[in-house]
Amino acid sequence: VPANTDTTVQVGDILTFVIQFTPVPNGATRGLGGYVTDYIPRNTEVVGARLIDKDGNTVSPHRGGFASDGVGPRGDGNFVNNLPQGSMTQLYADTGIFFSTSMLTERYPVGDVAGEEFLTLFNGLLMNPEPTAADRMGQIVGAGNNLYAHNRWDLAQAFSFGVNGGAIRSGGQGNTPHFYGSPVAGPDSWYPYEATFTGLFSSIPTIAMIVASTTTGPWQRIKTVGAEIGQLAAVPDAAGNMPDPGLPTRNGILALDAMGAPLGRDLSPGNPLPSYDPANPNQPYTTAVRFAVGELVVGEEYFAEISLRVKATPLDPIVGMDVNCAEVFGGDASTRSDSGGDGGKDNAWRYFLPNPSCVVLNNVFEFSVDRLAALNGQRLTYNVEGKNLSTNTQTGVEVRQCFEDGTFVSASNGGMLEANSAGCPNGQDAVLWIIGDLAPGETYSLTTEFDANGGDFMVHRAIYTSTALPFPGFQVVAATTVKAISIIHIDATATPNLFAMAPGTVQYSVTTTNSGTGAASADRVMISLPPGFTYAAGTSTAGGNAIGNPIITTRATGDLLTFSNGIANLAAGSSSTLVFDADFGATQANGAYTIGVETWYGGAFGRKINDARSGLAEVLIGITRSVKPSLTGPILAGSTRVSGSSAEPAGSIVTVYVNGIPVGTSMVDANGSWQATIPAVFAGQNVTASVLAANKLSSGESAPPVIVSGAAGNIPCRDGIDNDNDGLIDFPDDPGCVDASDLDETDPPECSDGIDNDLDGNIDYPQDPKCASFRDNTESGLPECSDGVDNDGDGQTDTNDSDCVDGMGRTETGLPACANGVDDDNDGLIDYPFDDGCDSAIDDDETPDSVGVADMGNVDVDMGSTESDAGDTGNGRVDPGGVNSPPGGGSLEDGCCSTVAGRRPIPIALLPLLGLVWFIRRRFI
């Protein structure tokens, strides 16, 4: 075990944390924007950050919510220096991932005082006065009488734009000056300016210290797929005044640089964010990473991922623990009317109440509920999953489930009711389990049942305490919306979708689905046709029934069709499809054409809900797309070269992406092969490729192959050690090193080197039957089950050996369940690393562990909507290179929402306007 830690984490390990959160309603079911902040431990450096879906696929942020443009419906603000009031749609349009090297964004408290090891709702920087709409959110999560910020920069913005009074005189009504008030203010945002504190301060800052200046904020962009930046839509008049109030819109555009690539800093193990250097403590280092996830939708789950490379232990030298802390907050409700007079007009600081929590590497503690949305009287099942990851026995372990809402039904494992528990915030009732001692590696699973009742939501809190981790303990929250809410998803198809030439007629099918718990009352569906396409009169049906023609608005960007008559209400769990034809003429240019869909439905709280998607139902005219290429896998962690094949002709251009960001290019050769140089990768990332052939459009991205784990500790190819004992040391002398960032000096075995070594048309394990495993060092010869040799010395040879199914069997030796080529647990996945139940290739049980990653339900994510396609990442954990893997492997005054967080294995709880509930889970990579 390394010094300064009671876990097996080592220097050089890459730890990946997944932050999961869910909005809960506070008078609305859509929020303009949500923000997750991870406070970076000083002994780590950030090597990866992305937004993902439940399956680990990289996804785009939602677009910023539907909000007021122009000056806004509140009129000119009373700001100091007569700063013009700003546009909410521009402010929330900035989405993506950002980092800060400002000391003002460092976590507070830092943990240098006993009892401050974790950020909680009950410590930090007191907000006095508090934001004018934060008190309701405090009630949602049980924050008590005092509300706290957890970094000085956020406190300055809250004091400037969220409170009543103060030097900037914002009035506390959600007004924001133009170019001020963004939660991600910085050089790469449309709203760049920050409010600042005057002078230097070593004590707690106060509102009297606030000034407004043209100082650019600290948040810098990280390249993120699908991120957006604000743009100027409403145009000032001749006197320079902005329209007032300004109609609502979504006002972001893709955040791209001059070359059309994602704007921001490249991030990889070879190009980490600036990190803390104890030898140069005054040198800027990354104090926080902030995810601007865009519009929040009640009933959905969101996932943010951050990967940290360990530089020293413990991860947080001030706290003295392997700990990582994060929090979440959100802004106003999205606009619920065409006029912009209802919602969508307040900045996030009026609702600012960050909901924080922390994780420690030695303790798995997950708290989950089986329903994110329910109705009164429905049964809810809560689960606590725990495991001692410490190398020491944990003593005096107690677990409490604290609650105010819901009717208790049952508890497993001797859980007992504890009224007015001293171990719960504000003396809530609890279910108490006295666990006692937990040996290293010991697990536990606890279950309760409650019947939903009360207001619009239920928030329960699970708390872990032990002798080593006393009061207030480690806490995580699970929340359920208890109300009939509608959750709208949009999709569309075109038939046919391929035309050799113009003219033609397309039949569009637009499907709207309500996956919520309550009915959605129909208002209208709006379709944006491509330029040159016209609606074919009399062709519309909805739910299979003929309906009238839409209202057609002619625009240069394409006709807008508004369907209202005949659009059906959507019961919970139902869908409806709108079908119509559109024509295009003989002069239509060759190319790809898509439609946009916007819907309005009445939902919870009697408000209308706007959802929108673009880029749907592609139609190709006079052109085709290239065929997707393939990527050869597995890819070794640390690799800087990837290869594959393509059905497109020689000279076609291949682009390789890591987490959706283009990182390298190649050209298809005469054999249909290609190879590209990319930044070093690590396990858990998505590596994909597309190809562009002449006279075609670019293909979609290929399925991502497995990235398998590299070595723990220092980088083997630059550590001065002959790690593979071949007499050669490091790059460039050891041919096993691709470059100095390679995590393995060992030459890859033939069965995982991406080469058809025996020229039989089969490459590597498991495609080549002569390969017994990834580690097999020869593709040549015959499979063991037909080579005429008693390979395992059991007196049986080839097909006479009971371990050989046929002559193509890879090995005569009986293999563990996780390496035998059989789906032993009938889950559709076979062997390590593809079966989640396999911890290694020698694991003799494919059944998942009880603390494995659970299926957390569908998460639909899309720019401007709530959908995306989800796929299986297939991320693996093997190391074919021969080096052992690392061990352990709300207004709220009618604002929108509040947030809570949490899931596996290490939880964190958060809160923004929508009510965000979230947690963190850890991956050892």
Side-chain angles (χ1 to χ4, degrees), residues 21-22 73 98 138 165 175 181 424 483-484 543 608 614 630 638 699 806 862:
F21 61 97
T22 293
F98 302 78
N175 299 344
C424 293
K483 191 175 185 65
K608 292 179 181 176
S614 59
S630 67
S699 72
D806 54 38
D862 182 80

Side-chain angles (χ1 to χ4, degrees), residues 118-120 357-358 423 462-466 469-476:
F118 303 143
L119 297 185
T120 74
S357 191
C358 303
I463 301 177
Y464 170 100
T465 58
S466 68
L469 192 64
F471 181 87
F474 181 70
Q475 305 184 21
V476 66

Side-chain angles (χ1 to χ4, degrees), residues 405-614:
D405 303 307
T407 302
F408 173 76
V409 177
S410 66
S412 70
N413 300 76
M416 62 190 93
L417 284 175
E418 185 182 39
N420 303 317
S421 173
C424 293
N426 306 319
Q428 294 175 333
D429 293 342
V431 179
L432 168 66
W433 293 270
I434 301 176
I435 306 295
D437 293 347
L438 276 178
E442 188 173 356
T443 65
Y444 57 91
S445 180
L446 313 171
T447 302
T448 62
E449 291 182 316
F450 284 77
D451 286 339
N453 66 20
D456 296 332
F457 42 82
M458 289 171 52
V459 177
H460 285 206
R461 186 184 309 267
I463 301 177
Y464 170 100
T465 58
S466 68
T467 303
L469 192 64
F471 181 87
F474 181 70
Q475 305 184 21
V476 66
V477 173
T480 298
T481 297
V482 184
K483 191 175 185 65
I485 62 170
S486 55
I487 304 172
I488 303 300
H489 304 278
I490 304 168
D491 204 355
T493 60
T495 306
N497 61 0
L498 180 62
F499 294 83
M501 59 186 296
T505 298
V506 179
Q507 183 178 81
Y508 288 106
S509 299
V510 177
T511 300
T512 307
T513 302
N514 175 16
S515 63
T517 56
S521 58
D523 186 86
R524 61 195 186 278
V525 176
M526 305 160 72
I527 316 291
S528 297
L529 292 179
F533 283 57
T534 59
Y535 170 75
T539 62
S540 305
T541 63
N545 301 314
I547 60 173
N549 295 323
I551 297 173
I552 303 175
T553 305
T554 302
R555 306 178 304 182
T557 56
D559 288 354
L560 174 66
L561 314 180
T562 301
F563 295 88
S564 54
N565 296 329
I567 301 302
N569 298 331
L570 293 176
S574 70
S575 63
S576 179
T577 300
L578 170 66
V579 180
F580 65 93
D581 292 352
D583 304 321
F584 56 89
T587 60
Q588 190 76 25
N590 292 343
Y593 298 89
T594 61
I595 65 173
V597 182
E598 180 178 346
T599 65
W600 285 87
Y601 281 87
F605 308 101
R607 274 44 179 289
K608 292 179 181 176
I609 301 167
N610 172 273
D611 286 285
R613 281 194 70 183
S614 59

Side-chain angles (χ1 to χ4, degrees), residues 712-743:
N714 294 322
I715 306 301
C717 284
R718 61 173 187 245
D719 64 358
I721 301 172
D722 181 10
N723 296 277
D724 56 355
N725 298 312
D726 64 354
L728 303 171
I729 299 175
D730 293 355
F731 178 82
D733 298 321
D734 194 313
C737 293
V738 175
D739 55 30
S741 297
D742 196 335
L743 297 176

Side-chain angles (χ1 to χ4, degrees), residues 353-397:
L353 177 61
N355 196 347
S357 191
C358 303
V359 300
V360 287
L361 297 189
N362 65 3
N363 182 35
V364 172
F365 189 66
E366 177 195 340
F367 183 44
S368 61
V369 62
D370 65 338
R371 294 176 185 263
L372 298 178
L375 300 175
N376 272 316
Q378 288 186 326
R379 183 69 46 86
L380 306 179
T381 300
Y382 294 86
N383 288 286
V384 175
E385 301 284 350
K387 184 175 185 178
N388 178 16
L389 294 183
S390 172
T391 56
N392 303 322
T393 296
Q394 301 295 301
T395 62
V397 175

Side-chain angles (χ1 to χ4, degrees), residues 634 636-637 706-710 774-775 832-833 840-841 876-881 885:
L636 292 174
V706 175
I707 300 179
V708 296
S709 299
F774 284 120
R775 297 181 184 274
Y832 181 80
S840 71
R877 297 160 295 194
V878 296
D879 175 20
S885 298

